[in-house]
Structures are given as C-alpha cells and as structure tokens.
Amino acid sequence: MMMLPVSAEQVAAAIDARSRSGVALVAIDGMGGSGKTTLAMTLVELRGAAVVHGDDFYRPMDAKERAHLDPEEGYHRYFDWQRLREEVLLPLTTGRDAVYRRYDWITGDLAPGELHRVSASSIVVVEGVYTARPELADYYDLLVYVDTPRKKSLRRLRERGDDHGPIDWESRWRLAEEHYLAATRPEKRAHLVVTGH
C-alpha cells in the first residue's frame, strides 16, 4: 500500500493502472469536509468517471432513535453500507449496471420514484465518509483517502452550511465519524493518500 501524499493526476494514473478495459471501482474516503467530492469531480474531468455519493446512502431512521446513538452506534447505523453493497457494489463488480435510490435529506427518507443508474462499463467513484469501511473494501479496485486537518474540514463544513442535521451535529455525526476513523484506520488501508486542500 502506498502512503505518500499524491495528486489527483496520480490518482487518475492509478485508476488507469488498475482498470480492466476502462472499468474500475474506486472509493474515496476521509473526514466530512476533507475534499472527497472535489477529488471525485476532478476525476470526472480527468477520466469521465461516474460518481456515487455516500451521502445518498444515509439510513432513514426515526429522529428520536438517531438522537440516542452513541458514536460507535452512529458509526454502525448512520450509513447504510448494506444498501450501498447490494444496490451498487455487488452489481458493478459482477458486470451489471447499478440502480439505487438516494437518501433525501429534506424528507429524511429515500427519494420516492427517483432511480439513479450507474453503468458497469465505466470508472465509478464512490465518495464519502464510511465508503471504504472494512466490510466494503474488497469490492474496490482502488481505495483513496483524503487527508485534511480536522480544523480545516470542520471550517469548510460550517462555511458551506453542510452539517446534515440539528445543532448537536458535531456531538453526534462528527463523533461517529471520528470513531470510524480511529477504529478502522482507512488512511492505513488506502492504496493512495491525497492531501486535502
């Protein structure tokens, strides 16, 4: 595994090296606000990649139940990794197109009547916190971790108003995210580490 910080161009070159006839499945993980989406969109420009957003796989849950989860429980329950595996990763790794519904942050449920299709004949980037968790890691051809200092990523989230929840977001979501990072060490399991800007 490479642990040297690399650029988007180097990630694109690594995708080329690992793709099978232009087909590759890539995970981009890192803290919220680290620059994962920015890297994914750069790969769209550089390689015509399709992007699946991890935020589309937030788990619908009763607000009271969500409020009572501790950081470890949040790590296990906020992100519906089973749905990502069944609807996206399994189909793509077996040569079938993926079809999924996204989580609607306004209604708190899966968006009704809205299907997203991802072709199995392209480079697909799955970006988001938890997307390279151990249960999913073997489905990817390339694991990328975006490494950004905590203070910088928090500042970005606050600046864009993207905290995905109520006032106590940092005491719940962020602590669950930090539990995940400490427990599973995605930066150590990644093939490439990109320094967030």
Side-chain angles (χ1 to χ4, degrees):
M1 304 268 180
M2 283 183 62
M3 286 304 297
L4 298 174
V6 297
S7 68
E9 290 79 10
Q10 289 169 303
V11 173
I15 291 171
D16 293 343
R18 291 173 180 267
S19 70
R20 298 169 306 281
S21 303
V23 177
L25 193 52
V26 180
I28 300 178
D29 206 332
M31 294 182 119
S34 64
K36 299 176 300 299
T37 303
T38 300
L39 175 59
M41 299 320 291
T42 302
L43 293 172
V44 170
E45 294 174 18
L46 293 173
R47 292 297 182 272
V51 177
V52 174
H53 300 285
D55 283 353
D56 289 348
F57 292 86
Y58 198 69
R59 187 185 310 273
M61 188 184 311
D62 179 77
K64 289 180 183 176
E65 179 183 0
R66 190 183 316 282
H68 286 94
L69 298 178
D70 66 27
E72 182 176 0
E73 292 167 329
Y75 156 57
H76 290 295
R77 304 275 315 284
Y78 289 148
F79 178 68
D80 193 346
W81 65 268
Q82 297 94 337
R83 188 166 67 86
L84 176 62
R85 180 189 62 200
E86 298 303 314
E87 295 180 5
V88 176
L89 303 180
L90 276 172
L92 292 176
T93 56
T94 58
R96 296 177 289 125
D97 290 353
V99 179
Y100 68 93
R101 289 169 59 196
R102 70 171 180 83
Y103 178 82
D104 184 335
W105 288 89
I106 294 172
T107 66
D109 208 342
L110 299 184
E114 182 182 306
L115 294 178
H116 295 268
R117 189 171 300 275
V118 182
S119 172
S121 61
S122 64
I123 294 167
V124 178
V125 173
V126 182
E127 67 84 20
V129 183
Y130 305 118
T131 57
R133 60 186 292 147
E135 298 91 341
L136 303 178
D138 288 342
Y139 290 96
Y140 299 106
D141 298 299
L142 184 68
L143 299 176
V144 180
Y145 183 80
V146 180
D147 188 24
T148 301
R150 183 183 191 278
K151 285 184 180 180
K152 182 182 276 190
S153 66
L154 279 172
R155 187 185 75 242
R156 286 179 182 165
L157 289 171
R158 289 178 184 137
E159 285 172 355
R160 68 187 190 204
D162 191 13
D163 64 6
H164 294 310
I167 293 297
D168 66 344
W169 173 80
E170 283 184 41
S171 68
R172 294 186 308 109
W173 176 269
R174 190 63 175 209
L175 290 179
E177 185 177 297
E178 289 175 356
H179 174 84
Y180 160 66
L181 296 175
T184 73
R185 304 301 303 264
E187 78 283 2
K188 299 289 187 192
R189 296 181 292 105
H191 299 106
L192 299 172
V193 175
V194 176
T195 301
H197 310 290

